[in-house]
Amino acid sequence: MAAEIIDGKAFAASLREKVGALAAAFEAQAGRKAGLAVVLVGEDPASQVYVGSKGKATLAANMASFEHRLPAETSAAELLALVDRLNRDPAVDGILVQLPLPGHLDEQAVIAAIDPDKDVDGFHVINAGRLAVGQRGFVPCTPLGCMMMLTDRLGDLSGLEAVVIGRSNIVGKPMAQLLLAANATVTMAHSRTKDLPDVVRRADIVVAAVGRAEMVKGDWLKPGATVIDVGINRLAPEPGAAKGRLVGDVAFEKAREVAGAITPVPGGVGPMTIAVLLRNTLVAAHRNVGIALAEDAI
Ligand code: NAD
């Protein structure tokens, strides 16, 4: 039987709607909107598109959007001064510095300068540490979105075998931490893992975050497994086409014949990322002002 296709677009739309309604209630109570500041340095075309869509989504969710577009030659001191201003600005609940930064800027130093309680991307080491020890903080948006889709489909993850392929700081590692906190038995696989197909074959849950087009094959999967495909890879264009197709890290057509449920690319994990960013900003706003919010319910 073909796998259920997990509709990330629909899931994200319903999360955005929920966040939008709660953001309107926040405004009524706090007397101001929840605010997200996004900082973009340079003219990277993909980053410009991301920043534009984050700004639009923020406004659509009844929040204030503060966009700071700086020239590529911005110095570290200028960027750090802006981050410092945003840290102290009471209208700003969340701060996101769009990565990658131009080569002369130290990304870790910039992330370290963000107030951890406004770090809605969850990239600050304080938030990575909070996640690791189970304290309240901010969790990176992509893995948190994956987790929401997993618990929506599977409910309690206790005792399930989960294999996370990829160990990046922004996807693989926080994903594994979230699964562990939900009592799954977690294996982290990476580029040095031996016999990856055999490791994946024992998984009830597979999260692929590698960045290699269609690497995970259908016959690597345990029948009925839930597969979350984080990868976004553009194939070479077909003859006559201007752009190649977008595919994930999982060979979707074969995988869907074996899996129980699978996220498509595009339309799976991707749309969830911005929705979770809005969710994290809403949470930050409530914490900053001291208004109660049932965080686990969103
Ligand atoms: P990354 O390059 O930082 O990490 C990739 C990881 O894959 C590394 O830890 C590496 O050990 C592992 N890896 C590489 N080759 C491997 C192999 N042959 N076998 C097993 N593991 C291997 O990437 P990232 O930032 O974690 O992103 C991963 C993918 O997810 C990319 O395609 C990226 O575009 C996509 N992504 C999507 C979203 C979204 O919103 N949907 C967000 C972030 C990243």
Side-chain angles (χ1 to χ4, degrees):
M1 214 175 70
E4 176 199 331
I5 308 298
I6 301 175
D7 187 346
K9 246 172 133 169
F11 204 107
S14 92
L15 179 58
R16 282 165 64 156
E17 201 174 305
K18 206 190 294 184
V19 169
L22 289 166
F26 174 85
E27 184 181 2
Q29 266 188 288
R32 68 164 179 85
K33 286 184 189 287
L36 174 65
V38 178
V39 180
L40 172 63
V41 186
E43 269 103 51
D44 179 69
S47 294
Q48 285 185 330
V49 173
Y50 295 147
V51 166
S53 38
K54 283 168 187 170
K56 274 194 209 125
T58 306
L59 296 174
N62 299 319
M63 299 186 191
S65 166
F66 308 101
E67 266 181 39
H68 296 269
R69 292 174 185 254
L70 307 179
E73 56 280 5
T74 300
S75 69
E78 286 167 326
L79 180 55
L80 292 173
L82 172 60
V83 169
D84 184 48
R85 271 207 313 283
L86 298 173
N87 281 342
R88 285 184 285 106
D89 186 342
V92 172
D93 297 294
I95 302 170
L96 179 153
V97 177
Q98 185 65 45
L99 303 180
L101 290 171
H104 67 284
L105 296 169
D106 176 352
E107 289 183 352
Q108 286 310 319
V110 175
I111 292 168
I114 298 173
D115 177 345
D117 295 330
K118 294 191 177 188
D119 169 39
V120 285
D121 249 346
F123 291 171
H124 196 292
V125 286
I126 294 271
N127 282 318
R130 286 169 171 165
L131 177 62
V133 298
Q135 285 179 10
R136 191 182 86 159
F138 288 106
V139 176
C141 302
T142 300
L144 185 52
C146 295
M147 198 63 187
M148 287 175 179
M149 292 192 284
L150 280 170
T151 49
D152 180 66
R153 176 178 152 76
L154 296 170
D156 185 7
L157 307 187
S158 286
L160 294 181
E161 288 276 350
V163 172
V164 179
I165 318 173
R167 56 173 160 187
S168 71
N169 289 337
I170 61 168
V171 187
K173 283 180 196 160
M175 188 72 233
Q177 295 283 6
L178 287 168
L179 288 161
L180 191 59
N183 302 315
T185 302
V186 184
T187 303
M188 291 193 70
H190 47 75
S191 52
R192 305 289 176 88
T193 297
K194 288 190 185 134
D195 302 324
L196 183 60
D198 278 349
V199 172
V200 173
R201 228 166 255 132
R202 61 173 191 247
D204 304 303
I205 296 168
V206 179
V207 181
V210 184
R212 286 177 185 251
E214 302 178 320
M215 185 188 84
V216 177
K217 307 300 179 200
D219 65 2
W220 294 16
L221 300 172
K222 174 170 161 177
T226 301
V227 180
I228 305 289
D229 190 352
V230 183
I232 302 175
N233 311 288
R234 197 171 283 284
L235 296 179
E238 311 261 335
K243 267 185 173 183
R245 247 178 350 113
L246 276 187
V247 297
D249 290 343
V250 179
F252 182 79
E253 288 306 329
K254 289 277 186 264
R256 69 182 294 193
E257 292 170 13
V258 186
I262 185 167
T263 59
V265 177
V269 174
M272 281 301 283
T273 298
I274 289 187
V276 176
L277 173 67
L278 302 174
R279 180 254 174 221
N280 281 356
T281 304
L282 179 81
V283 166
H286 283 76
R287 290 181 188 171
N288 289 343
V289 173
I291 295 178
L293 177 71
E295 295 180 7
D296 290 345
I298 45 160

